[in-house]
Structures are given as C-alpha cells and as structure tokens.
Amino acid sequence: MRRWWNDKQGSFAIVVAIVVFVGALTVTAFIDMLSRTYLLNEVQSIMDVSGTSALRTGVDEVQLRTGDFALDRDLVEANYRRMVEEQVRSLSKIVGYQFVDMDVSVFQSNFGLGQTGKPRWQGMIDSTMMIQVEASPVFDLIPGASETFYNAKNSSSFQVSYVGKTEDGKVELLVRSVTRVVYR
C-alpha cells in the first residue's frame, strides 16, 4: 500500500480524479433530486390552496342562502389560473409552466363522504400542470414521460404524456392537484 501511495508515475492521481468526478456527479444528482422534490411539493401546495380559494369565490352566496347551490365554472377556472400563476412566478427555480388539463365540476353526490348515504353538493377542480425546472444538463436525459393518474370520483385512470428531452438543463415535471368543497 505504501509503495502504491508513493508511486510517482501518476496512477494514484488518476484514481483520485475518478473518485472526485464520481463524487461531484453524486452530489449534483442529489441536489437536483432534492430541488425537484421541494418544487413538486411547493407547486402542489400552491395548487391545493388556490383551488380551495377559487372554488370558494365561484359559489353564489345569495343563492346558497336560499338553499340552491350554484358555482360559476368560468369564474372558478379564471381565478384558479390567476392565483396559481401569481404564486408559481415567484419561485425562482421554475422557468416555465403550463396547465395540461383542468376540469371544474359541480355535482351532487355522496362521493368521499363516508357512510353518510346522503348526497351533498360538491364543487371540484381536477388539474394537471407541467412545470419546467432548472437542473443540471447532465441529468436532463429523459426522452419524455407518460404519467398515469387515478381518478377516484369515477374509478378510472387517465394518462398525461409529454415530450421533454431538451438537454438544456430544464427538466419538465407533472404536478396534479384535486381540490373540492362540500356543502353540508
């Protein structure tokens, strides 16, 4: 071992250089994954809070006082988009975003209410958003993705696909949020 350590021909330097390079790649990958996880959670939180607020603003409170539930879907969607975009723009690591899918629905059902058996009026936003996140170009190699999501309301699955191989250090991530309000 001592002989190898004192070797003056450079073989030790090559091993050290390889170990340093692998270590740097590992640290970069770890930081990228941590950043992506943080941003996914942050954007989903923004979408959840904005969804609740948007649904609340779309309820016609005058009609609700008389016992009729009315929800302005266009107003809910516009407010939701505005609220999410305002908050997402403030996140410095996100360089681009777009809504892939959005469904605002109003229904009377006992879905998600447990064993009550009595249908209640519900308003729901089911949205999927694609965000572009700054990352290391070394790990921007995925040629696209297809994510399958489960819709508990109608017990079905659906797929969202996108092509995201740009190798420019901008990784595309899908975020889904389902928010609902129930009026009892």
Side-chain angles (χ1 to χ4, degrees), residues 124-163:
M124 187 168 78
I125 297 176
D126 185 348
S127 64
T128 306
M129 186 175 194
M130 186 272 301
I131 58 173
Q132 285 184 329
V133 178
E134 284 183 1
S136 171
V138 175
F139 301 105
D140 187 15
L141 303 173
I142 299 172
S146 180
E147 189 71 34
T148 302
F149 293 110
Y150 179 71
N151 185 342
K153 181 181 164 194
N154 57 13
S155 299
S156 66
S157 297
F158 65 96
Q159 255 187 346
V160 177
S161 301
Y162 64 99
V163 178

Side-chain angles (χ1 to χ4, degrees), residues 24-171:
L25 279 175
T26 304
V27 168
T28 302
F30 182 73
I31 290 172
D32 277 355
M33 286 188 291
L34 226 81
S35 175
R36 289 179 201 173
T37 302
Y38 168 76
L39 287 170
L40 278 171
N41 290 336
E42 188 69 20
V43 170
Q44 187 169 29
S45 174
I46 288 169
M47 291 170 73
D48 290 344
V49 171
S50 298
T52 303
S53 297
L55 284 167
R56 184 71 183 100
T57 62
V59 174
D60 186 345
E61 292 183 5
V62 174
Q63 284 188 345
L64 190 60
R65 287 186 192 124
T66 64
D68 296 328
F69 184 82
L71 186 73
D72 185 346
R73 292 179 184 165
D74 294 332
L75 179 64
V76 169
E77 186 173 334
N79 283 337
Y80 180 71
R81 284 182 188 272
R82 180 185 51 78
M83 289 179 207
V84 170
E85 287 174 354
E86 284 175 4
Q87 295 297 316
V88 168
R89 271 190 240 125
S90 68
L91 299 172
S92 61
K93 286 276 189 184
I94 295 178
V95 294
Y97 59 89
Q98 73 181 40
F99 286 95
V100 177
D101 185 37
M102 185 182 312
D103 178 38
V104 179
S105 57
V106 180
F107 55 94
Q108 189 175 16
S109 170
N110 59 357
F111 163 72
L113 300 178
Q115 300 298 326
T116 62
K118 185 175 180 185
R120 305 287 182 180
W121 279 106
Q122 301 181 37
M124 187 168 78
I125 297 176
D126 185 348
S127 64
T128 306
M129 186 175 194
M130 186 272 301
I131 58 173
Q132 285 184 329
V133 178
E134 284 183 1
S136 171
V138 175
F139 301 105
D140 187 15
L141 303 173
I142 299 172
S146 180
E147 189 71 34
T148 302
F149 293 110
Y150 179 71
N151 185 342
K153 181 181 164 194
N154 57 13
S155 299
S156 66
S157 297
F158 65 96
Q159 255 187 346
V160 177
S161 301
Y162 64 99
V163 178
K165 184 177 180 179
T166 55
E167 296 182 20
D168 59 356
K170 296 180 180 124
V171 176

